[in-house]
Structure formats: structure tokens, C-alpha cells
Amino acid sequence: MALQATENAIIRASLNNESTILKRSGQHVGFDFRHVRYLLESLTKKAQLDTGLIDPWCVEILQTFNGLEPEKKTTAELKQILINVTNSYPEIANLIQTYDHNFEHTLHEQQDLDQLVYRLHQKDQTIANENANKDSNIFNTQRDLTAGLVGKTTGLKLLPKAVAKAHLKGDLHYHDLDYHPYAPMTNCCLIDFEEMLSHGFKIGNAEVESPHSIQTATAQISQIIANVASSQYGGCSVDRIDELLAPFAKKNYDKNLELAQEWVAKADRTQFAKERTKKEIYDAMQSLEYEINTLFTSNGQTPFTSVGFGLGTNWFEREIQKAILKIRIEGLGIEKRTAIFPKLIFTIKKGINFTPTDPNYDIKQLALTCSTRRMYPDILNYDKIVELTGSFKVPMGCRSFLQSFKDQDGNEITSGRMNLGVVTLNLPRLALRSQQDQAYFWQLFEDKLELAKEALCYRIARCKEAVPKNAPILYQSGAFGIRLSDTQAVDEVFKNKRATISLGYIGLYEVATVFYGPDWEQNPKAKQFTLDIVKKMDRATTLWSEQYGYHFSVYATPSESLTDRFCRLDQERFGLVPSITDKAYYTNSFHYDVRKQPTPFEKLDFEKDYPVYSSGGFIHYCEYPILKHNPKALEAVWDYAYSRVGYLGTNTPIDRCFACGFEGEFAPTERGFECPTCHNHDPKKCEVVKRTCGYLGNPQARPMVHGRHKEITARKKHV
């Protein structure tokens, strides 16, 4: 009877909103008694007491709280009631009394630099391998990782207390805490290369004028990328590089035609100029490939760089496209290794390269060959990107998409825009906490959604505290499109929805598994539940955008290390839950369970509905067997994807052993990957390439966190 009375009271108080409570932030919110019950369950378990005590406590606490005057219904008063009711059991009362103190202590422990630095130098993989693009053996990377620990500890102190607490507990993740808010840096961007190459720019002591050849233009692009990457913490992209560089290739052609006037017979002059220009285009693009892969920024890594191309149709644009693909197919160095950067993104558009009658269909075939051998390029489907985001552009970095934005004159602006950061919700935790009660899940969800908004608003506010001189390449030399004076506010390039700020999510698969079991993908009710989650996020961010004037977007988080962190924290809290925490990873965003084997077509049909509500960042992948001898199979998937998804990556085995000559897929082990023929795992004598998240990675050379390794090894082929 007591249990029934308690449950009835809980339902009335929680679902009918009979009471509100005043939080320390000054907000009045609906009083959900299940939070109290959950706390008592956790503390009773920790104190190893009989759980039969909980129901009588709940009845007394609820009756006492409901008997208070409205102005006295505060979190402080509720805490005191809990202490009074549980006073007969000092171990519980003391835990409640010290609840906030324990948080402060946890915060202090997280900020113990001596301990963190020791863990870094002991190669604690949660610190040393958090970013698979950083080689923690190298001095300047070690310096950056150490500086990042300082940034994190300082950043936690700067964050709003509730946000810092939620981050430490794993309710949400405040991304890139090693850089922001310690410094008011921005995240990823689409650099306005056209503005910079047309009008010149300044880096350090050098005033750089507009280039007069494609060789100089590509050299300047690499210089700009290096400087931009050192002034922000996210990826950067070159949009439509074939069209961007074509005018500079034309300058080469004109010079070569002039040269031909003097040295070549009249009938052969045009052909001479074309052949010479073609060679110069190839050399320039090869130099760009090598320069990007040999760059080392101030944050100890190769810049996360993406290059978009595919829409140009004139001779210069076509030659640039072909050069990009041929160079990537050729590979780097004597061993012809696969280039990890830049990420290549090839755009497919009907009328340009989709069908055999289109003028650039031959380049599509070259792109298919490149993907089967090097995994890049990924593809963008032009019409679908316009449908999802309002206009065409490549993503910023690996997957962050800008939405349509027009200036005061009505011109569509894409380049020169940026993202101000990401905060990701731990959705599987909310599902686990709900104990299969969907009404309770939605209440928890709304609560964390408000907290995420507070975190995102803080990100914006902190970014606005920068001054143009903090990052001249971004704010004064044209990378962000608008050149600001020393005294102008950086908000000029952020406000009016010019910048995006992203609400991320992870683990829709695990959420639905809590409520519908691990094989829910064919259950329409289960899928609709997951779609309702991203719909609610989309609706919330739309309201926030109108309220604050920045474009809040829903972002399918790539979660390179977060897939490990959230699951690890929840495993400690909930134990080994089948198909949820026992895997050692959470599934990226909306993706189909990687352990299953739908066909590529089934996978795309399943996933295509989610980016409609998370157009701020998304990508789809399909896992294939070796494709080198069957590019037509890949083309069938590309063609099928055209009207269904906007952005698609290719995952296919391209590992190579230089010791025995094996080519194919290396075998996973606990320490990484090894050749299945000779068991070689020396990164100097083999090449292992896997898709880490949006970007490719070399896990043998630069190891990744445990959860990501487990997720990669769990992936099944879609055939």
C-alpha cells in the first residue's frame, strides 16, 4: 500500500505539475519527484542499505514538501527535508549534506594538474589518444596536450556551475574544453579564400598580394590554412576549389601562350599552352596535397582540412578536378601512402556529372576509382544539400553545415562564416535513467535541453569577448569575409544568424534499445520515437535562433572520443547493460547499429529521415568489402543516394603491409590492427586507414581511444 501511495503521489506531483520549485539559478520549474527518488536510490545503494527504506522516505518527503508555502518550495528547503527525513541513517543524511561539497571536490580533482599531467605522460589513452590526429609522442603535441589540460581546468571554473557539473557527470559534453572557454576561440569555418586571394592579406610580418599563378595561389592557400587552424580549434574547408583556382590557372595559360608566340610554331601554340598549363595545374595541386599533410599547427596536429570540388565545367576547372583525384590515387611518398588530409568532397549534380551524357561524367568515374582505392572522396549530392540546408556549400570541417544566409543586398553568403562550438547531450543516459518510462524520459530531456541552451549561450557570449587583434587572420585579413578594424566588435561576423552554434546528440540507437530492444530498426514506432527526439531538438533550436539572433543548429555529433567517454561514465553508473553500455561505445548520432548488416540501400533508407531535423551537421557511411575491382557497385550506391541523402562516405578496406605485400583488411587486436598474413603491426612497415569519424585516421600510427577502437572493430559490411 505504501508503494502504491508513493507511486500515485509521484505521478500526481510530477505529471500534473501540482508543485513548482525554485532552483538556485532563480528559475521556477515543475517539481518532478522522480529526481528525488532517483537520488535516494543511488545514495542507498552507495551506503549499502535496504532499499525498502526508500518508499516510506518518499511518502514523508513528498507530504512535507507539498505542505510548504509556495515561496518556501526551494531546492535548499528540499535538501533540508531530505536530511531531516533520513536523519536516522547518518550515512545517507551525510551524503545528502555533502552533495554540493562532493561536486566541488570532484571539480577540484578534475583540476589537479599534477595528476592529469602524470596521466598524460603515462600514456593514459583517455588523455593521450583523445584526438586521433595528434601524435602524443611529439614534443609540440605533448606541449599542446599539457596546455590543453590547463585550458580544461581553467575552463571548468569559467563555465556556469550547472554546466560544469553536467559536463563532469557526463549529462552533456562541452566540446573542445581544452581551448574554449579558456580562450574565446571559434570552432570550424568556411574560409573566404576568394576574398583573400583577390585582395591580399597579412600573415605575421608579410603583406601578401594577390597571386599571379596557380602555383602561388595554392601556396597561399596552405599558408592561410595553417594560420587559420592555429587561430581556431575546429576544421576548415576550401569550397569549390576548382572554380576558385581556375582564374589563376588561366593566368598560367595566358603566360604560356605568350611564351608559345616566341618559341612554338603557330599551329601548335594553343596545344603547347594547354599541355604546359596542365602540368603546372598538376604540380600546384600536388604541392598543396604535400603542404597540407606536412603542416603542423600550433595545436600540435595536421590541420583538419576539407576540399570541395566537382561543379566546374570549363577546361581549367576540369583539369583541376582531375589533378586532385589523380594525385590522391597516386599516394604520398615512396610507399604511395594514403593521404589523410585534406578530406576530399566531390559534388555530384544532375546535368554536370551524374549520367553518361553529362559533360563531367568521366570525372565521376575517376572519383569512383579514387574512393575504391583511398576511401576519399566522400560525395555531396547537390540537390539534396540545397533541400536540407537552403543553399549549396561544403561542410565546415568534416560535417558542420551552414544554413542559408543572405546579406543586406540579398546575396547568398557561404564562405567567411563559422561555427561557435558544440554542446552534446548524453541521450542514452536519459533513457537509462527513465527506467523505460517515456513520460519521464521526456521530462529529463526537456530539463537537459534547457541546460544545453545555457551552455550554448555561454559559448556565444565568450566568443564575443574576443577582439579582432586576437586572431588577425580571421577578423582582419578576410578569412571570415568581413575585415574588421581594431575597434570593431567581433560580433559583426557572428550576429544575425551569420554564425552557427550547435546542439549535438549521440546514441539514438541506444536510446531506442532501452525502450524497444536491440533490434528495433524495423519497428516504425521505435524509429518514430527517435525521430521525435531530433524533431524536438530542431524545434527548440529554431526558437532559440529567433530569440538570440544566432543560428542554433542540431548537429549529429561525430563523437570521436565522446563515444568512449559517455559510455564509460554510464558503465560506471549503470553497469553492463546489454547492447547499450556493454559494447564500450555509443553509436554515433543517428547511425544504424554498426553490428548489423543491412544492404547499403537499406541503411540509406533508414538514415535519410534524420538530417531533415539535424541539418546543422550530418554524414552517412556505408561499409563495403574490397571495391578496387568493382567501382560500378559503388556507383550504384552513389546513384541511389542522390535523391535520398546529402552527404555520403565510403568505407572500404585499403590496409597494406609493406613487409609481406598483403593488401586488404588488417585484423583487429586489443593493441590495434595487424597484418592477417604475417602479423606485422609496426606502423613504419604497414598502413592502416580507418574512418575515425568524419575524417580518416591512421590508428596504428596514431592510436585512438578504446571505445572508438571497439566501435570500428564491430563494424559489419553492408553488402
Side-chain angles (χ1 to χ4, degrees):
M1 292 295 291
L3 175 60
Q4 186 64 51
T6 302
E7 291 299 326
N8 290 340
I10 291 170
I11 291 169
R12 286 197 304 273
S14 302
L15 303 185
N16 297 333
N17 291 316
E18 291 181 348
S19 299
T20 61
I21 188 168
L22 180 64
K23 300 178 75 174
R24 288 183 181 129
S25 63
Q27 286 182 298
H28 279 279
V29 298
F31 175 45
D32 189 337
F33 191 76
R34 281 174 291 194
H35 292 301
V36 176
R37 185 178 179 84
Y38 182 78
L39 174 63
L40 291 172
E41 287 174 348
S42 300
L43 296 181
T44 304
K45 183 179 178 181
K46 187 172 183 179
Q48 297 182 326
L49 291 175
D50 181 6
T51 55
L53 296 166
I54 295 171
D55 292 325
W57 284 343
C58 286
V59 172
E60 187 175 351
I61 292 166
L62 189 58
Q63 289 174 343
T64 305
F65 185 81
N66 283 341
L68 294 175
E69 295 296 323
E71 65 273 10
K72 290 186 177 181
K73 290 181 178 179
T74 65
T75 53
E77 190 66 36
L78 177 61
K79 178 181 175 181
Q80 191 57 52
I81 293 171
L82 264 68
I83 292 170
N84 293 341
V85 169
T86 61
N87 202 41
S88 298
Y89 294 86
E91 53 269 69
I92 295 291
N94 289 338
L95 285 172
I96 296 168
Q97 180 69 54
T98 58
Y99 185 74
D100 286 339
H101 171 73
N102 287 339
F103 165 64
E104 296 295 347
H105 179 65
T106 302
L107 185 61
H108 176 73
E109 282 186 340
Q110 291 286 331
Q111 296 169 338
D112 187 338
L113 280 176
D114 289 342
Q115 181 190 54
L116 290 172
V117 172
Y118 174 78
R119 287 168 57 197
L120 169 62
H121 288 286
Q122 291 298 309
K123 300 297 182 184
D124 182 331
Q125 57 94 20
T126 62
I127 299 176
N129 303 139
E130 184 180 37
N131 183 337
N133 189 37
K134 290 186 177 183
D135 185 349
S136 59
N137 295 304
I138 295 173
F139 282 149
N140 54 346
T141 306
Q142 290 175 1
R143 181 179 179 276
D144 178 74
L145 290 171
T146 305
L149 296 177
V150 176
K152 285 182 178 180
T153 55
T154 305
L156 281 167
K157 293 178 181 177
L158 294 172
L159 289 177
K161 184 176 177 180
V163 173
K165 181 177 178 179
H167 174 86
L168 286 173
K169 289 170 58 182
D171 291 338
L172 56 74
H173 187 77
Y174 194 95
H175 286 259
D176 303 293
L177 192 56
D178 44 350
Y179 297 107
H180 179 105
Y182 175 77
M185 299 172 79
T186 54
N187 186 19
C188 48
C189 71
L190 274 186
I191 301 172
D192 194 341
F193 285 103
E194 183 177 5
E195 202 279 346
M196 297 184 78
L197 296 182
S198 298
H199 300 99
F201 54 93
K202 183 178 180 180
I203 294 180
N205 297 321
E207 294 279 356
V208 183
E209 66 175 13
S210 182
H212 301 293
S213 68
I214 190 171
Q215 298 98 318
T216 305
T218 55
Q220 289 186 11
I221 285 174
S222 67
Q223 292 164 353
I224 292 167
I225 287 171
N227 207 259
V228 167
S230 296
S231 301
Q232 61 173 35
Y233 54 82
C236 57
S237 297
V238 190
D239 195 9
R240 302 172 81 143
I241 195 171
D242 47 335
E243 298 163 85
L244 171 73
L245 289 176
F248 301 103
K250 175 68 163 54
K251 291 177 184 287
N252 287 66
Y253 175 80
D254 292 342
K255 291 177 187 175
N256 289 327
L257 200 56
E258 284 183 19
L259 184 65
Q261 304 287 345
E262 184 176 352
W263 298 102
V264 180
K266 186 174 182 179
D268 300 327
R269 288 171 185 170
T270 299
Q271 187 62 28
F272 169 85
K274 278 194 169 186
E275 288 300 320
R276 190 177 176 91
T277 303
K278 180 179 178 179
K279 175 66 165 58
E280 290 168 346
I281 288 171
Y282 186 93
D283 290 347
M285 302 315 296
Q286 187 177 54
S287 293
L288 182 62
E289 179 109 317
Y290 272 90
E291 285 168 5
I292 289 175
N293 280 281
T294 54
L295 285 176
F296 225 60
T297 65
S298 63
N299 51 16
Q301 63 182 335
T302 304
F304 281 103
T305 312
S306 297
V307 168
F309 62 105
L311 293 174
T313 55
N314 68 36
W315 183 83
F316 300 104
E317 293 161 346
R318 281 175 46 83
E319 287 303 319
I320 291 167
Q321 292 178 43
K322 288 189 284 186
I324 291 169
L325 294 167
K326 288 177 179 178
I327 290 160
R328 184 56 58 91
I329 292 169
E330 177 68 13
L332 293 174
I334 297 173
E335 293 170 331
K336 307 300 182 184
R337 290 181 179 253
T338 297
I340 300 302
F341 294 105
K343 175 186 173 82
L344 302 182
I345 306 175
F346 181 70
T347 301
I348 295 177
K349 185 179 181 182
K350 288 184 176 180
I352 291 181
N353 52 24
F354 186 71
T355 66
T357 58
D358 291 339
N360 283 6
Y361 183 71
D362 59 326
I363 301 180
K364 179 190 179 187
Q365 299 307 298
L366 190 59
L368 284 160
T369 298
C370 191
S371 284
T372 63
R373 297 182 184 182
R374 302 294 185 180
M375 281 207 268
Y376 285 155
D378 292 346
I379 60 164
L380 290 181
N381 292 315
Y382 183 94
D383 293 324
K384 198 67 180 179
I385 291 296
V386 173
E387 178 186 326
L388 290 170
T389 70
S391 61
F392 179 80
K393 79 289 291 180
V394 297
M396 300 180 287
C398 77
R399 73 175 65 195
S400 182
F401 278 97
L402 294 161
Q403 307 302 296
S404 178
F405 169 84
K406 294 181 179 179
D407 64 15
Q408 292 179 340
D409 299 322
N411 301 310
E412 186 73 40
I413 304 296
T414 52
S415 294
R417 295 172 60 197
M418 71 302 297
N419 179 266
L420 303 183
V422 183
V423 173
T424 292
L425 292 175
N426 185 349
L427 296 178
R429 172 172 290 187
L430 303 184
L432 288 167
R433 281 190 60 187
S434 72
Q435 299 181 334
Q436 298 183 308
D437 181 341
Q438 285 195 18
Y440 189 31
F441 170 84
W442 287 120
Q443 289 195 9
L444 293 170
F445 176 81
E446 293 293 340
D447 183 52
K448 299 309 175 190
L449 203 58
E450 281 300 306
L451 191 58
K453 181 178 78 167
E454 181 181 359
L456 291 169
C457 287
Y458 179 77
R459 294 200 85 115
I460 295 170
R462 182 68 177 125
C463 285
K464 288 163 61 176
E465 291 176 4
V467 296
K469 289 189 288 187
N470 290 150
I473 190 73
L474 303 180
Y475 299 111
Q476 298 184 302
S477 284
F480 280 175
I482 300 171
R483 301 192 184 216
L484 303 177
S485 68
D486 287 351
T487 58
Q488 283 183 286
V490 297
D491 196 33
E492 291 298 316
V493 300
F494 303 154
K495 65 184 183 181
N496 301 323
K497 301 182 186 178
R498 195 174 186 274
T500 62
I501 181 81
S502 300
L503 172 66
Y505 63 94
I506 181 174
L508 285 183
Y509 166 76
E510 286 77 15
V511 171
T513 296
V514 170
F515 296 102
Y516 298 96
D519 299 312
W520 59 266
E521 286 93 346
Q522 307 311 315
N523 180 340
K525 188 175 180 181
K527 184 176 180 183
Q528 187 58 52
F529 176 61
T530 61
L531 283 169
D532 286 343
I533 293 171
V534 287
K535 279 183 182 180
K536 285 179 181 291
M537 294 173 75
D538 180 50
R539 192 176 304 123
T541 54
T542 299
L543 292 173
W544 301 345
S545 297
E546 294 304 316
Q547 182 178 358
Y548 296 104
Y550 302 88
H551 191 97
F552 288 78
S553 62
V554 183
Y555 180 75
T557 303
S559 56
E560 177 190 328
S561 61
L562 191 56
T563 188
D564 174 278
R565 179 176 183 260
F566 272 171
C567 187
R568 177 164 36 84
L569 291 173
D570 287 351
Q571 194 178 92
E572 293 170 2
R573 187 167 181 173
F574 300 102
L576 295 173
V577 184
S579 288
I580 300 174
T581 61
D582 65 341
K583 308 187 309 302
Y585 64 85
Y586 280 161
T587 304
N588 272 15
S589 59
F590 54 73
H591 293 314
Y592 206 109
D593 180 10
V594 300
R595 302 169 300 172
K596 299 187 178 77
Q597 290 186 280
T599 67
F601 312 106
E602 290 169 339
K603 185 175 191 288
L604 295 177
D605 280 335
F606 173 82
E607 293 183 355
K608 66 181 173 59
D609 302 315
Y610 295 95
V612 175
Y613 307 106
S614 62
S615 59
F618 57 88
I619 189 172
H620 309 263
Y621 315 111
C622 290
E623 298 281 336
Y624 305 95
I626 295 171
L627 287 170
K628 287 181 182 179
H629 306 297
N630 194 11
K632 283 296 179 185
L634 181 58
E635 184 174 19
V637 179
W638 282 13
D639 289 353
Y640 186 81
Y642 187 82
S643 62
R644 291 170 173 83
V645 303
Y647 187 18
L648 179 62
T650 299
N651 293 351
T652 184
I654 59 171
D655 305 332
R656 294 188 298 154
C657 178
F658 304 130
C660 73
F662 171 84
E663 294 187 10
E665 186 161 26
F666 272 32
T669 70
E670 283 302 313
R671 66 187 175 198
F673 298 86
E674 67 177 24
C675 174
T677 302
C678 70
H679 306 293
N680 169 36
H681 57 267
D682 183 349
K684 295 180 181 178
K685 298 178 182 178
C686 67
E687 178 180 54
V688 180
V689 180
K690 305 295 179 187
R691 190 178 294 268
T692 307
C693 46
Y695 288 109
L696 302 183
N698 284 325
Q700 279 310 97
R702 297 180 180 181
M704 58 193 70
V705 294
H706 175 70
R708 175 56 69 207
H709 177 72
K710 297 294 284 188
E711 187 269 340
I712 288 174
T713 59
R715 296 174 186 173
K716 294 291 190 295
K717 301 291 185 289
H718 305 129
V719 293

